[in-house]
Each structure stands twice: as C-alpha cells, then as structure tokens.
Amino acid sequence: MAALIRQRLGECSPAERRVARALLASYPAAGLGTVASLAERAEVSGPTVLRFLSRLGFGGYPEFQRALRDELAERETSPLTAYRAAERTGVPPAGALSRAAASLPDAVAGTLAEVPQGELDAAVRLFADQHLRVTAAGGRFSGLLAHYLVLHLMQVRGNSRLLPATPVERTDMLVDVGRRDLFALFDFRRYEEPTLALAREVTARGARVVLFTDRWLSPIAGLAEVVLPSRVDSPSPYDSFVPTLALVETLVAALMDRLGPVAGKRLKAMEKAQQTYRES
C-alpha cells in the first residue's frame, strides 16, 4: 500500500499529496482511524481523502481499510507461521529446485519493474555525492546486504563504512553524525526495533536515509528520503533476499554510470593499494 501511494504521488493534487504524506509519515496507523481523523492529520477535507483513495483504485474508505488490515497480517508473517501454513495445506511441496525456478526469477523481475525510477535516481544521486559519508546497517540477516553494499561503495566512491556491532565503536561513530551523513538501512518484515531507533536518531541529527525494505515497507519509510522496496518471494518459509541483492547490484551499476571516470580512478587506486599490501 505504501509503495502504491509513493508511486502515485506525482499524479496527485497538492491537497491529495498532503493526504499521502500524512499516511506515509505514520504508516499504517494513520489509515486505521476514521476519515475525519485522517483529514484532520493531513489538514484537508474528508472529500479530499476520498478522492485520493479513489485515485489509488479504492471504492471507498472501508475497502481501503480492509486492504490495509490484510497487509498488516502479511507483515507479521514469520518463517514459523509460513511453515505451519504450508503444513496445513496437506499438499506435498514440489522439489526445491522447481520451487526456486518458479518463484525467484519472477521475484527479481517484479522487483526491478516495480521500483520507481525516480526513487532509484534519487538514491544514485545521494550515493554519488562524495561529500556525504555513507554508513550502512541492517538486521540479523539483512546486515549481510548492508555489508555487501559497503564493500562495493568502498571500491567505487570511498568514504563508506559498516555500522560497528560493538557498543563503544557504534557510539563513537554515531556521536559525530550530522548533515553530511547518509545512512543505507536494510529492514524487512518482522521489522527490527534497533534499526528503527537508529533511523530516528540519525535523522534527528540531520542525516539522510536510503531504505531497502520489502513491499509492505518498514516503519522507517516515514523517515527515509528514498525507499527502495523488493519482493521477498521464496522457495522456503524464509523471505528471500535474492531480489534485494539484484536491486543493490542495479544501484551499484547505476552509480558507476553516474560517477564515470571517478569510479575508474578509485578502482585503480584500490587495486594499486591492494598490490602494495600484498607485496609488503
């Protein structure tokens, strides 16, 4: 739903955009109250709220709220609940290779087709700004994606780092965060409170956030300057990060296109430094 709202922002009137921003700023809670409460939050009239929902394709507020509640149920899905749901069907699963072939290519293609071009362009502009210091962070599993992104950024633009895990090192890093900082945060369903707390802290200090998340959108979406959602369809009860990995690699490719010779110069310097290190 939040991804749909972001996609349609460009089509909205100024008043309708206020409704969209009110929803995104407190998503999904803002959509679970009454029409009047949402209109008050957005400082528009009730009919404006309904016109906005009609633009999204909903026949009325009750239909919108049903879709929102269905999405909330999906957001809470865990590997255990997915495993139990598969058990209840009583249908033996196809082989893992068949399931992967049926789900992963479509998930990758769907992710790349659904990412708004404007959001990807905005992310590339931020990462290409070498005045910004990049810090990446994720959760228990998605931290692997943060590390993967940082390793690429180190090679093509420099001034990039992974948020340390130990409290003292993390505190030392965060105490100096300000307007010259860009955070790449990875947060997927069963969203992790420490990542949300980090986003709140750094944006309060003036840092900017690019969020990689799933199609249900992490609560961090309301704080992020750029949101890049991915599908998570998987052959197992675990959500897949394969589509997000494809999105990260697409971002790196677009970043290298934008940086041009700057990226090439950095790569040459990195190769030379590595060669010197090996010979020492």
Side-chain angles (χ1 to χ4, degrees), residues 31-169:
L32 297 175
T34 63
V35 172
S37 66
L38 179 53
E40 182 179 359
R41 186 188 291 262
E43 298 182 347
V44 299
S45 67
T48 298
V49 171
L50 297 178
R51 282 196 299 272
F52 172 69
L53 297 182
S54 177
R55 189 181 295 278
L56 295 182
F58 294 102
Y61 201 64
E63 182 183 346
F64 165 72
Q65 288 196 315
R66 281 195 299 273
L68 195 57
R69 291 191 182 99
D70 289 345
E71 180 179 301
L72 283 173
E74 289 184 330
R75 287 179 70 173
E76 296 303 315
T77 297
S78 69
L80 179 58
T81 56
Y83 178 78
R84 287 173 174 168
E87 273 191 325
R88 284 195 295 271
T89 66
V91 178
L97 280 174
S98 298
R99 298 198 306 274
S103 61
L104 294 178
D106 286 347
V108 171
T111 293
L112 299 180
E114 292 162 5
V115 168
Q117 185 65 51
E119 291 289 281
L120 181 63
D121 292 344
V124 170
R125 283 194 299 271
L126 287 171
F127 284 113
D129 185 349
Q130 293 179 289
H131 295 102
L132 294 176
R133 176 176 55 184
V134 177
T135 304
R140 290 175 298 168
F141 286 82
S142 59
L144 297 170
L145 294 169
H147 195 181
Y148 187 75
L149 173 63
V150 164
L151 290 174
H152 283 80
L153 296 179
M154 286 176 174
Q155 295 211 358
V156 302
R157 56 95 70 193
N159 201 18
S160 304
R161 58 192 184 172
L162 191 67
L163 188 70
T166 60
V168 173
E169 291 176 303

Side-chain angles (χ1 to χ4, degrees), residues 131-240:
H131 295 102
L132 294 176
R133 176 176 55 184
V134 177
T135 304
R140 290 175 298 168
F141 286 82
S142 59
L144 297 170
L145 294 169
H147 195 181
Y148 187 75
L149 173 63
V150 164
L151 290 174
H152 283 80
L153 296 179
M154 286 176 174
Q155 295 211 358
V156 302
R157 56 95 70 193
N159 201 18
S160 304
R161 58 192 184 172
L162 191 67
L163 188 70
T166 60
V168 173
E169 291 176 303
R170 179 176 291 214
T171 301
D172 175 66
M173 181 180 287
L174 293 177
V175 75
D176 297 322
V177 166
R179 298 176 64 84
R180 289 293 187 180
D181 284 284
L182 172 64
F183 279 73
L185 300 182
F186 293 77
D187 195 33
F188 294 80
R189 65 177 173 181
R190 303 191 78 197
Y191 310 105
E192 300 189 40
E193 184 62 34
T195 311
L196 175 58
L198 173 65
R200 286 173 174 155
E201 179 178 350
V202 300
T203 53
R205 291 171 175 263
R208 299 150 97 173
V209 170
V210 173
L211 172 66
F212 294 82
T213 186
D214 50 46
R215 63 187 181 90
W216 299 279
L217 298 194
S218 156
I220 297 170
L223 300 167
E225 185 167 332
V226 177
V227 178
L228 299 173
S230 299
R231 295 190 183 187
V232 293
D233 308 65
S234 168
S236 80
Y238 290 93
D239 286 347
S240 174

Side-chain angles (χ1 to χ4, degrees), residues 5 8-9 11-22 42 44 47-53 55:
I5 292 170
R8 305 301 284 274
L9 266 176
E11 306 170 13
C12 296
S13 69
E16 290 169 350
R17 281 198 291 273
R18 287 200 292 273
V19 179
R21 292 193 181 102
V44 299
T48 298
V49 171
L50 297 178
R51 282 196 299 272
F52 172 69
L53 297 182
R55 189 181 295 278

